[in-house]
Amino acid sequence: MKDASSKLSELIAWFKKYNGVLVAFSGGVDSTLVAKVAHMVLGDRAYAATACSPSLPERELKEATDIAKLIGIRQVFVNTNETNKPEYVRNAPDRCYFCKEELYSKLRELAVSLGIEQIVDGTNFDDLKDFRPGIDAAKKFGVRSPLAELGIGKELVREISKLLGLPTTFKTSSPCLASRIVYGYPITDELLKKVDMVENFIREHVNLKILRVRVHGDIVRIEVGKEERHLMFDVNLMDKIAAYIKSLGFTFVTLDLEGYRQGSFLEAIRKTNKHVSVENPT
């Protein structure tokens, strides 16, 4: 825990340079740590800004609200409209750039209205190892990433979070709903809502730690944690899930026998280009 303590001290010192910050806050492991330390240092001059977006699962919005209250930081909400951007809707591998561009443009306006000098996000040091178009959008709007700048990767994020007693210490990743839709298939508000509805339905019937409902046109492919696959092996359960998904307009429903693996949409792409790496391959 020595490294965690020393890095926490560095993180505290990092925020002391500012009179106020606006944290891009999703309630995930990384942004929660950033928001917590920002609040520790700056008090009421630290704000957590959470996007209200069609691509954010409803349960994640609720969790982000609960976590913000728990750590005591002021929370503000911004409505984003990335699904109005043709570049986002086309759902190419650079989709995340246009989502972040929409978010940071709204946060810049908010920061100005609040008189806040700096926007920060939860990008950690490990994130820099991948091709992440969203980081380019952050640079465009002058967003800084204290975790990345201080060399704090995911493992250290969790260690520091544990040191601070944060509830997100062991939280699994929960990327945006758009990451569930196969590249090249257009993203719509209606489709994002359906994905959220299906995941909520499944979670109501099965206690899963990891779940991804992948959409391939009219095919839905369900991924669950590798150690949780046996929880799905119930005929009545499978019939119930399939019937619900088909009632939303999908034609085929499959359970991925390999279970969840990060970036499964990229498998076909990587067969033809071994060097492909895409932001948020979750």
Side-chain angles (χ1 to χ4, degrees):
M1 296 293 284
K2 185 177 180 181
D3 284 345
S5 297
S6 61
K7 282 298 182 182
L8 175 56
S9 296
E10 290 181 32
L11 197 53
I12 289 172
W14 192 95
F15 280 104
K16 286 182 177 179
K17 299 179 294 186
Y18 296 102
N19 292 321
V21 297
L22 182 64
V23 182
F25 180 71
S26 66
V29 183
D30 302 319
S31 65
T32 295
L33 175 58
V34 172
K36 172 63 176 180
V37 179
H39 178 63
M40 287 169 54
V41 176
L42 300 169
D44 286 345
R45 293 301 292 166
Y47 292 81
T50 301
C52 296
S53 159
S55 64
L56 178 68
E58 287 185 10
R59 67 181 182 281
E60 289 298 316
L61 179 59
K62 183 182 183 303
E63 283 188 21
T65 302
D66 292 341
I67 292 169
K69 290 179 181 178
L70 181 66
I71 64 180
I73 193 170
R74 290 186 176 186
Q75 187 176 29
V76 289
F77 299 92
V78 293
N79 293 313
T80 59
N81 302 292
E82 56 270 23
T83 51
N84 289 338
K85 287 177 170 284
E87 303 92 342
Y88 177 85
V89 171
R90 74 184 180 191
N91 195 19
D94 63 352
R95 175 195 68 236
C96 291
Y97 174 87
F98 303 102
C99 178
K100 297 297 186 183
E101 182 182 50
E102 170 72 5
L103 172 63
Y104 294 137
S105 66
K106 294 292 177 64
L107 293 190
R108 173 52 58 198
E109 294 174 4
L110 179 60
V112 170
S113 69
L114 293 172
I116 296 295
E117 60 180 314
Q118 185 61 54
I119 302 171
V120 298
D121 69 7
T123 300
N124 69 58
F125 187 69
D126 293 336
D127 294 332
L128 303 182
K129 300 172 185 177
D130 292 326
F131 169 62
R132 290 180 173 257
I135 292 177
D136 291 333
K139 291 177 180 177
K140 176 180 177 180
F141 289 94
V143 177
R144 296 192 65 177
S145 307
L147 300 178
E149 292 180 21
L150 295 174
I152 300 174
K154 198 71 171 187
E155 184 176 348
L156 260 179
V157 167
R158 293 192 186 279
E159 289 181 12
I160 299 171
S161 297
K162 184 178 181 180
L163 191 65
L164 293 174
L166 293 175
T168 49
T169 299
F170 301 107
K171 184 178 181 179
T172 58
S173 63
S174 182
C176 75
L177 294 170
S179 68
R180 317 292 208 269
I181 302 169
V182 68
Y183 292 120
Y185 193 80
I187 296 173
T188 65
D189 289 354
E190 180 184 11
L191 184 55
L192 293 172
K193 180 64 175 177
K194 286 182 178 180
V195 171
D196 196 25
M197 290 169 64
V198 172
E199 292 196 352
N200 287 334
F201 182 86
I202 294 174
R203 289 186 183 280
E204 287 173 4
H205 292 82
V206 196
N207 184 22
L208 296 167
K209 293 181 180 178
I210 300 176
L211 170 66
R212 300 288 187 274
V213 168
R214 311 289 195 185
V215 176
H216 300 253
D218 63 349
I219 301 173
V220 168
R221 176 170 57 88
I222 302 169
E223 292 181 3
V224 302
K226 290 182 182 295
E227 303 303 318
E228 300 178 299
R229 286 173 289 180
H230 68 282
L231 298 176
M232 300 293 290
F233 299 159
D234 178 277
V235 173
N236 291 331
L237 173 66
M238 289 189 284
D239 285 346
K240 187 177 295 185
I241 291 172
Y244 180 75
I245 293 174
K246 288 188 174 183
S247 75
L248 296 179
F250 298 101
T251 305
F252 302 103
V253 183
T254 68
L255 175 64
D256 195 306
L257 298 184
E258 292 184 84
Y260 168 77
R261 62 268 187 209
Q262 189 177 39
S264 63
F265 276 146
L266 299 176
E267 291 170 359
I269 298 175
R270 284 172 176 154
K271 285 182 179 180
T272 55
N273 187 344
K274 295 181 179 180
H275 303 291
V276 169
S277 179
V278 179
E279 179 173 10
N280 200 15
T282 53

